[in-house]
Amino acid sequence: MSNSSSFWEKFKSPPKWAAILNGLITFSACVGSLCMLLTDFSKMPMAILAYTLFGIAACSLAYSVYLLIRFAPKVKKGIISWAEKYEFTRSLLRNYGFRTIVLTIGSFSLSIAFGIYNGVLGIMMKSIWFGALAAYYIFLALLRGSVLTYHRKKNAKKREDSYSTRTRVYRKCGFWLLILNVALSAAIAQMIFSNRKFEYAGWTIYAFAAYAFYKITMSIINLFKARKQMDLTVQAIRNVNLADAAVSILALQTALLGTFGSEGLNVALFNTLTGIAVSLLSIGIGVQMIAYANKKLKEIRGEKRDGK
């Protein structure tokens, strides 16, 4: 009885090496199972190997999920405790605005990479489609880069910026968003009139679909979070991310219709309607940002006149 009790205690709370080993087994079995799905495993002895891998993957994955749920609070507490020791990670943890800027650096780098990639393809293939995509990603990078440049200059001067300065940066982002929409509209027009679409190889379309829905969901959530911060530069970044996430949904739609067929559907009409909706959203966000910033700057000038 004591041996059985001891076994279950170790099963519920395994040592670190056992948990790590289980993770490695889970990863290996899942990769092996995916490889088996790409081959003909209906014949012996491949069938025995395939179903053995499937079984190991299922059991080890279930146990891994159990361990994650059981030890998630302890792991979270340990990560927070480690993060609190260093200034950068502490700011990343506590300061929502700082965290937004750091993540924007990654988004800025990706936009540059996508812009260069599509630009090279456009030149090599003499394609207006890839040229339009390159222009879109380059303008997106410039938009994000303008906010990052502002923060770099502010930190270099080691002083707090005024509300009017942040408001002007917010307005500038609104103008950039309208310029970005020109490149976006060119890409949408190419997609509609030249029957072009976003393409993803094989099963990667499922990964992109999950990422696109995650992106739009988090963009909406972060948009509401940013409004509570009362920092216009953070709000500007979140507005831009929402417009970019909407483009990801448009890209996903064209990829899905192209991959899984469109029999009985007017693909051009669907893409046109979604493209117009995404473009209007981008324009609406840009106009709202400019109008809001102009209103606030007018109020600030009025307060200064009254103060004199």
Side-chain angles (χ1 to χ4, degrees):
M1 189 71 177
S2 60
N3 290 337
S4 176
S5 176
S6 176
F7 170 79
W8 283 111
E9 286 298 322
K10 290 182 179 179
F11 180 82
K12 289 189 291 185
S13 301
K16 288 183 179 180
W17 67 265
I20 293 172
L21 179 61
N22 179 74
L24 292 174
I25 292 173
T26 302
F27 177 77
S28 302
C30 288
V31 171
S33 298
L34 289 174
C35 292
M36 283 296 172
L37 291 175
L38 300 175
T39 62
D40 182 13
F41 60 87
S42 59
K43 297 179 181 179
M44 295 292 184
M46 291 295 291
I48 297 175
L49 177 61
Y51 288 112
T52 301
L53 278 174
F54 295 159
I56 294 173
C59 294
S60 59
L61 182 60
Y63 187 51
S64 295
V65 171
Y66 161 78
L67 291 178
L68 285 173
I69 294 173
R70 180 176 174 80
F71 295 105
K74 186 182 292 186
V75 172
K76 181 180 178 181
K77 185 178 179 180
I79 292 173
I80 292 175
S81 177
W82 172 83
E84 291 288 352
K85 295 178 181 179
Y86 306 97
E87 183 179 354
F88 176 80
T89 50
R90 185 167 58 250
S91 299
L92 203 62
L93 192 66
R94 295 181 178 182
N95 191 325
Y96 180 80
F98 179 76
R99 186 162 65 249
T100 299
I101 297 301
V102 171
L103 293 176
T104 301
I105 295 173
S107 300
F108 169 77
S109 303
L110 285 175
S111 298
I112 289 288
F114 280 129
I116 294 173
Y117 172 73
N118 284 286
V120 171
L121 287 179
I123 295 171
M124 292 176 61
M125 302 175 67
K126 297 180 181 179
S127 169
I128 300 177
W129 162 250
F130 286 115
L133 288 180
Y136 168 76
Y137 283 115
I138 288 171
F139 277 121
L140 185 63
L142 290 173
L143 202 164
R144 285 168 169 153
S146 65
V147 179
L148 292 174
T149 301
Y150 154 74
H151 277 276
R152 183 184 64 79
K153 289 180 178 179
K154 185 191 75 170
N155 293 334
K157 293 177 181 178
K158 295 182 179 179
R159 63 177 176 80
E160 289 295 325
D161 56 326
S162 65
Y163 182 76
S164 61
T165 303
R166 294 196 299 271
T167 306
R168 290 190 182 92
V169 172
Y170 186 80
R171 182 175 62 179
K172 184 189 293 184
C173 284
F175 282 118
W176 271 111
L177 204 54
L178 294 181
I179 296 173
L180 177 69
N181 189 70
V182 175
L184 174 61
S185 298
I188 292 172
Q190 280 293 307
M191 179 183 65
I192 294 169
F193 297 114
S194 300
N195 195 28
R196 302 303 299 263
K197 62 181 183 295
F198 293 84
E199 297 179 359
Y200 303 94
W203 60 269
T204 57
I205 190 171
Y206 299 106
F208 179 77
Y211 173 69
F213 283 113
Y214 168 80
K215 193 174 179 181
I216 192 70
T217 302
M218 292 307 299
S219 295
I220 295 171
I221 292 172
N222 284 322
L223 188 66
F224 286 103
K225 283 185 178 180
R227 295 194 183 283
K228 295 178 181 178
Q229 299 295 314
M230 300 304 294
D231 187 334
L232 288 180
T233 56
V234 173
Q235 290 182 26
I237 291 172
R238 294 309 185 185
N239 286 342
V240 172
N241 289 348
L242 177 61
D244 184 36
V247 175
S248 297
I249 295 298
L250 172 62
L252 175 62
Q253 175 184 294
T254 63
L256 289 173
L257 290 175
T259 302
F260 298 106
S262 54
E263 187 176 352
L265 292 177
N266 189 334
V267 176
L269 177 61
F270 271 86
N271 289 340
T272 300
L273 292 175
T274 307
I276 290 173
V278 171
S279 184
L280 288 176
L281 175 66
S282 180
I283 292 172
I285 293 173
V287 171
Q288 182 273 332
M289 292 173 71
I290 295 169
Y292 180 83
N294 285 336
K295 178 183 176 182
K296 289 298 178 183
L297 289 171
K298 187 176 180 180
E299 290 176 358
I300 292 170
R301 286 193 292 268
E303 290 173 0
K304 287 183 177 179
R305 282 197 302 269
D306 295 340
K308 292 179 181 179

